[in-house]
Amino acid sequence: MNRKLLLILLVLFLPSAPNLLAQTVITGGVNGTVTDPTGAVIAEARVTLKNASTNQEQTVRTTGDGLYQFSFLP
């Protein structure tokens, strides 16, 4: 009886084993709008984001509406 129960449990839970070993990656993002002192948007502005602890930098350009976005930041 114990072998049968063990076999049933293995069949039920073995397929989910890879999910137990998966790692979760947490990421974030930053977005915004670049404007001048009058409030007008600035297209094609260069925006640089720097990680102060690693000194890694990423640079993007704003859209025609002055929008920028940094995605999937660790």
Side-chain angles (χ1 to χ4, degrees), residues 30-34 45-49 60-63 65-70:
V30 176
N31 59 40
T33 306
V34 177
R46 204 171 132 182
V47 181
T48 301
L49 183 68
V60 297
R61 291 212 180 259
T62 60
T63 64
D65 297 329
L67 302 172
Y68 66 88
Q69 181 174 8
F70 295 93

Side-chain angles (χ1 to χ4, degrees), residues 2-73:
N2 285 339
R3 281 183 97 170
K4 189 173 184 180
L5 179 60
L6 181 61
L7 182 61
I8 291 171
L9 289 175
L10 281 174
V11 168
L12 290 175
F13 293 109
L14 194 59
S16 65
N19 294 334
L20 297 174
L21 300 175
Q23 294 181 3
T24 302
V25 176
I26 299 174
T27 62
V30 176
N31 59 40
T33 306
V34 177
T35 59
D36 67 13
T38 67
V41 297
I42 301 177
E44 295 297 318
R46 204 171 132 182
V47 181
T48 301
L49 183 68
K50 182 177 183 178
N51 183 329
S53 61
T54 64
N55 287 328
Q56 287 183 310
E57 293 183 354
Q58 293 183 31
T59 301
V60 297
R61 291 212 180 259
T62 60
T63 64
D65 297 329
L67 302 172
Y68 66 88
Q69 181 174 8
F70 295 93
S71 301
F72 304 111
L73 302 173

